[in-house]
Amino acid sequence: MISALRKMGAFEGGRTGWEQAMTATHPPTELRIEALQAPKPDDAEYQEDELRGPGADEVGRILRSLLRPPRREHS
């Protein structure tokens, strides 16, 4: 499967409308190949922070800043 994806990677940009339509519905070839490969020992260490969303404190801070009424400037 990986070999086939590498060969199909040549069409990633899509030279014709059909090729563009086919690649528009799929993730990039590199990500598809990576998903098929066995995980490396350090994958979790390097990806953990990237995959984790904001914590409850950070979400609360963001929401408070968005919901805070705008300050009026005195002239």
Side-chain angles (χ1 to χ4, degrees), residues 52-70:
R52 189 179 66 232
D57 292 340
E58 189 173 358
V59 169
R61 183 183 57 76
I62 293 168
L63 289 175
R64 284 190 299 279
S65 71
L66 293 173
L67 298 174
R68 185 178 307 138

Side-chain angles (χ1 to χ4, degrees), residues 5 8 12 19-29 31-32:
L5 285 171
M8 290 173 40
E12 186 95 51
E19 290 171 357
Q20 290 175 346
M22 290 301 293
T23 58
T25 60
H26 293 76
T29 303
L31 296 179
R32 296 168 69 190

Side-chain angles (χ1 to χ4, degrees), residues 14 26 29-30 36 39-40 46-47 57 59 61 67 71 75:
H26 293 76
T29 303
E30 314 82 62
L36 292 170
K40 296 175 184 155
Y46 289 106
Q47 294 178 5
D57 292 340
V59 169
R61 183 183 57 76
L67 298 174
R71 292 183 177 183
S75 18

Side-chain angles (χ1 to χ4, degrees), residues 7 9 15 23 32 34-36 39 41 43 51 58:
K7 289 175 185 174
R15 296 176 296 187
T23 58
R32 296 168 69 190
E34 185 178 316
L36 292 170
D43 279 353
L51 299 175
E58 189 173 358

